[in-house]
Amino acid sequence: MNASRRLTRRQFVSSGAVVVGASFLPASTSKGAVDQDPAVDAIATKGESKKRERVPWKVEPFPLNQVRLLDGPFKHSMDINHQWVLSLPTDRLLHTFRINAGLPSSAQPLGGWEKPDCELRGHLAGGHYLSACALAYAATGDEAMKAKGDEMVAELAQCQEKLSNGYLSAFPDEFFDRLRDGKPVWAPFYTIHKIMAGHLDMYAYCGNEQALDTAQKMAGWVGHWCEGLSDAHMQRVLTVEHGGMLESLYNLYALSGRGMYPFIGNRFTHREVFDPLADHRDELKGLHANTNIPKMIGAARRYELTGNERDRDIAQYFWDEVTSERCYSTGGTSNGEHWNTDPGKLASELGKETEECCCGYNMLKLTRHIFGWTADPRAMDYYERTLWNSRLGTQDEQGHKSYFLPLGSGFWKSYNSQWDSFWCCTGTGIEEFAKFADNIYFHDDDGIFVNLFIASEVNWPEKGVRLRQETSFPEQDRTTLTVSAPKPVELAVNIRVPYWATKGGTVKTNGEALPVFSNPSSYLALKRTWKDGDRVEVSLPMSLHLDSMPDDRSLQTVMYGPLVLAGKFGGEGLTPELTYPGYGPVPKGGPATVPDITNHSMDPLAWVEPAPNSPLTFQTARQLAAATLIPLYKLSGERYAVYWKVKSDRPRRFES
Ligand SMILES: [Zn+2]
């Protein structure tokens, strides 16, 4: 069975895509073999990397620097993240790198996973941090962010120079002796990947040539290290978490054109994980989730740069399997960082450590590739679900990020402390929150795809058109698009109709209702010659719906549109220690008791109803203990419930 045609089982799904009155997704673009490098889009203006792509994307994202967020929850969260990133002093970030290179540093060391004796030190300071600066610069144009990144790149290059063999890290290369010899060591290549990726982002988004040079020297060191190892030995090395080494080495090839990097990258082909996926066998049970998602992004990049269909099949099958069988209603995946169960068995997985935020970050990254290849609206259904529920609400108002997003009832959100955490999820978080503008809009040759209902503006200079999206979604279930174009332009505006829009919707152009709409999980294509000031108003009525556990239908999440609702159970006893646990990401303390729900009606939704006069607020109905529900992304500082145990006292004979 072709994985790309396989339908997912859960609510990400709606297979039909009947569009009235206009053309649906074009079969392909007419661009031929040369395509924009989607992973490093900003640099595509330099031209060279485009030539190396072997597989054109069906639809392409707009470069991040052509999209600007407008006021709304995403811009608010991005701005907070921006300030947090700028607040970290360069000398403190550089301290362990300088010490490791034998350069003087009197800075106060950072704590947490950047502590001088932590084996993961440097992952955020010299890696995620550069990516965050680069993405934030692209997304906002803030020169202070570019200056911060440029300064880090220059200082890290001095450390690399002092080490003299291309190696760059905040820990000694003796860690790699331990890795080679099978002795305990945390994850040295994981950290090297972050540092390489940070430098590639500084080149791609900020044009920093020194960053590309540093990354190439690092890759040279990596190639030399791998050279002495047999294939079987390398496969043993790959059982230790190594992040996106495969992806970064292929990205380096795309950017530099040097043919040695794919060969080095191929040493990071972890066959034990890839082979079953190529045979469409889900053997993910027992694996560490976030170790393996980046490998799939690597397969995706190798497919794009070589045309190797097996890699596409691996990435696509993995994506299908995880999104359909291993994701919660939030779109997140993993429990205790692992996939512990057979496919579709998730009822046992709800706890304090469900789900790791890095997994959401990496699944969204992979989804970007899947959508680019297929323009499949289901990919954007998944993207929207995960973005709103698993990513947006995982930062506090000071910019601190969550590690786990607990889905066990009665737990609460916790965050990194300012100086004593620096977790993996802090790192992926500062990247994610810098690039919320990404993927809202894609395009092909003929038109634009409005994927997400987020207030923003996209500029498409090649077509001489800007599109401004004004919306207070989800407070209001509509959005307005306004065209700016000095000259009339013929264009398809493809508006995503999400899987949850089961009540239909309406679309108006310049105030006039059109007699068309589209099915859930499809794109409504409006093809016409657009003039300056033309307006499109889309209304997408949201409604309550349930998402049940695949292996226990009595465990139910209430959703409203794309939003997972959480029951509020108060902040009593949540001390600062429980909210900011510090080095280890799992706070002490147990859950509050959350009462079961009893449904007295034939209507499965009878136990929840809108709260009067309060948008996006709901309440349980006809229960002994009442509870209020709000969107999970808005909830912080109190205990909550996402999955409810719902018992029915209906006569059994009426059950379907
Ligand atoms: Zn993490």
Side-chain angles (χ1 to χ4, degrees):
M1 184 167 52
N2 181 341
S4 65
R5 297 272 63 83
R6 192 171 157 214
L7 293 184
T8 49
R9 196 183 67 214
R10 301 182 60 206
Q11 271 83 339
F12 311 105
V13 189
S14 175
S15 60
V18 179
V19 177
V20 185
S23 64
F24 185 53
L25 302 170
S28 68
T29 63
S30 55
K31 297 195 59 149
V34 176
D35 198 47
Q36 181 170 313
D37 176 357
V40 285
D41 41 24
I43 201 66
T45 54
K46 294 195 167 200
E48 286 303 305
S49 67
K50 293 173 74 171
K51 296 178 187 165
R52 290 181 271 277
E53 303 289 328
R54 289 285 171 272
V55 179
W57 281 21
K58 194 169 179 178
V59 288
E60 298 174 3
F62 283 91
L64 192 51
N65 61 7
Q66 289 173 222
V67 185
R68 288 288 179 262
L69 293 183
L70 304 174
D71 285 347
F74 285 94
K75 182 167 188 302
H76 175 72
S77 296
M78 180 184 77
D79 289 346
I80 290 171
N81 180 61
H82 201 91
Q83 292 310 317
W84 194 79
V85 170
L86 283 174
S87 77
L88 299 182
T90 309
D91 278 350
R92 293 190 69 181
L93 291 164
L94 288 165
H95 175 75
T96 50
F97 281 92
R98 285 172 167 160
I99 296 298
N100 188 52
L103 293 169
S105 172
S106 56
Q108 185 185 358
L110 300 174
W113 295 14
E114 288 293 339
K115 249 188 348 181
D117 63 352
C118 178
E119 291 189 353
L120 229 54
R121 60 188 182 270
H123 74 109
L124 187 145
H128 293 294
Y129 191 81
L130 297 187
S131 294
C133 289
L135 292 163
Y137 172 64
T140 65
D142 181 2
E143 291 290 339
M145 205 52 103
K146 181 176 182 301
K148 209 56 171 150
D150 285 343
E151 185 187 4
M152 286 293 296
V153 168
E155 295 295 328
L156 288 168
Q158 287 194 20
C159 297
Q160 189 183 42
E161 179 79 22
K162 184 76 183 352
L163 289 163
S164 78
N165 59 354
Y167 183 71
L168 176 62
S169 175
F171 51 73
D173 59 5
E174 173 267 330
F175 281 30
F176 285 91
D177 298 343
R178 284 152 60 184
L179 181 67
R180 182 193 59 217
D181 298 342
K183 293 177 181 162
V185 63
W186 194 341
F189 271 127
Y190 171 92
T191 308
I192 294 295
H193 158 242
K194 302 304 175 203
I195 300 168
M196 283 185 62
H199 282 82
L200 292 179
D201 285 339
M202 279 302 297
Y203 176 64
Y205 293 104
C206 301
N208 186 316
E209 301 276 349
Q210 188 177 28
L212 181 65
D213 184 56
T214 299
Q216 293 201 73
K217 287 174 180 161
M218 289 181 76
W221 182 89
V222 172
H224 185 69
W225 189 88
C226 296
E227 214 169 39
L229 269 56
S230 70
D231 192 43
H233 194 162
M234 196 65 198
Q235 289 299 314
R236 287 199 296 278
V237 163
L238 295 182
T239 60
V240 177
E241 185 170 8
H242 52 274
M245 286 300 294
L246 176 60
E247 181 209 359
S248 273
L249 285 156
Y250 268 87
N251 281 339
L252 185 56
Y253 160 67
L255 291 169
S256 70
R258 296 185 68 188
M260 63 196 278
Y261 299 131
F263 289 100
I264 304 171
N266 290 344
R267 300 302 308 270
F268 292 87
T269 304
H270 193 193
R271 290 201 299 272
E272 190 182 3
V273 173
F274 281 2
D275 289 352
L277 293 170
D279 293 340
H280 293 194
R281 279 184 285 123
D282 180 338
E283 295 184 2
L284 301 174
K285 180 179 175 178
L287 296 186
H288 183 261
N290 195 50
T291 291
N292 289 287
I293 308 169
K295 294 173 191 169
M296 306 307 141
I297 302 168
R301 281 304 282 146
R302 185 162 57 190
Y303 161 63
E304 290 160 7
L305 286 157
T306 66
N308 179 3
E309 290 283 343
R310 185 177 189 265
D311 281 319
R312 174 182 173 141
D313 202 30
I314 287 168
Q316 178 81 56
Y317 173 75
F318 173 89
W319 186 89
D320 285 344
E321 193 63 17
V322 171
T323 57
S324 64
E325 304 292 331
R326 297 184 175 281
C327 281
Y328 310 102
S329 49
T330 53
T333 187
S334 81
N335 177 29
E337 306 191 13
H338 285 71
W339 293 304
N340 303 302
T341 54
D342 290 325
K345 304 291 183 197
L346 296 172
S348 61
E349 297 303 287
L350 300 177
K352 199 187 220 176
E353 299 179 37
T354 325
E355 48 189 70
E356 189 190 349
C357 287
C358 284
C359 295
Y361 161 89
N362 276 311
M363 283 303 294
L364 291 188
K365 226 176 129 174
L366 179 60
T367 302
R368 189 179 197 256
H369 293 264
I370 301 289
F371 182 74
W373 304 339
T374 60
D376 185 342
R378 293 172 302 169
M380 275 300 148
D381 282 344
Y382 172 76
Y383 197 99
E384 178 190 57
R385 176 191 283 259
T386 309
L387 191 69
W388 280 96
N389 299 308
S390 285
R391 306 305 293 122
L392 179 61
T394 59
Q395 173 182 264
D396 73 2
E397 287 293 305
Q398 288 76 48
H400 308 121
K401 308 297 190 296
S402 297
Y403 192 111
F404 293 115
L405 176 63
L407 296 182
S409 288
F411 289 106
W412 62 96
K413 293 180 183 176
S414 59
Y415 310 93
N416 64 258
S417 64
Q418 180 71 17
W419 300 110
D420 296 314
S421 301
F422 294 106
W423 304 318
C424 51
C425 300
T426 312
T428 48
I430 61 175
E431 295 186 32
E432 188 96 84
F433 282 66
K435 65 177 170 108
F436 280 144
D438 199 25
N439 303 323
I440 300 172
Y441 306 99
F442 271 59
H443 68 88
D444 61 13
D445 279 358
D446 304 320
I448 194 164
F449 290 74
V450 180
N451 292 325
L452 299 168
F453 309 113
I454 295 176
S456 55
E457 184 171 281
V458 58
N459 180 21
W460 196 358
E462 292 85 350
K463 294 278 186 187
V465 65
R466 284 174 182 268
L467 200 62
R468 185 177 175 91
Q469 178 176 187
E470 287 166 303
T471 181
S472 53
F473 185 88
E475 261 72 18
Q476 294 184 314
D477 50 10
R478 56 185 174 269
T479 192
T480 301
L481 304 163
T482 306
V483 174
S484 296
K487 288 186 294 188
V489 55
E490 195 182 325
L491 207 65
V493 175
N494 304 285
I495 298 158
R496 180 171 150 266
V497 179
Y499 76 95
W500 47 262
T502 52
K503 298 261 191 289
T506 60
V507 58
K508 293 179 189 172
T509 54
N510 298 328
E512 191 179 321
L514 301 181
V516 300
F517 208 66
S518 185
N519 284 353
S521 223
S522 70
Y523 281 86
L524 171 68
L526 304 174
K527 205 165 188 176
R528 57 185 278 171
T529 300
W530 300 93
K531 297 188 302 298
D532 193 44
D534 278 352
R535 281 160 64 88
V536 179
E537 293 163 82
V538 185
S539 122
L540 291 161
M542 291 196 277
S543 57
L544 288 170
H545 53 108
L546 294 175
D547 189 36
S548 305
M549 271 295 179
D551 55 331
D552 181 353
R553 296 286 160 189
S554 71
L555 278 176
Q556 298 174 357
T557 296
V558 187
M559 300 189 69
Y560 185 66
L563 306 174
V564 167
L565 301 179
K568 289 154 61 82
F569 286 92
E572 198 180 338
L574 292 185
T575 60
E577 292 72 32
L578 295 185
T579 307
Y580 298 95
Y583 182 89
V586 187
K588 293 187 171 62
T593 302
V594 170
D596 291 347
I597 296 290
T598 304
N599 188 3
H600 309 283
S601 164
M602 295 294 288
D603 175 4
L605 273 164
W607 57 274
V608 59
E609 61 190 12
N613 306 319
S614 195
L616 296 182
T617 306
F618 302 84
Q619 61 197 18
T620 56
R622 293 171 287 283
Q623 304 299 311
L624 288 177
T628 301
L629 295 85
I630 63 168
L632 176 61
Y633 82 86
K634 286 175 175 262
L635 191 145
S636 185
E638 61 182 305
R639 297 169 186 270
Y640 59 85
V642 166
Y643 279 96
W644 304 81
K645 183 75 181 171
V646 181
K647 297 186 260 183
S648 172
D649 64 0
R650 291 174 289 165
R652 288 196 69 79
R653 66 178 182 277
F654 291 126
E655 284 192 348
S656 56

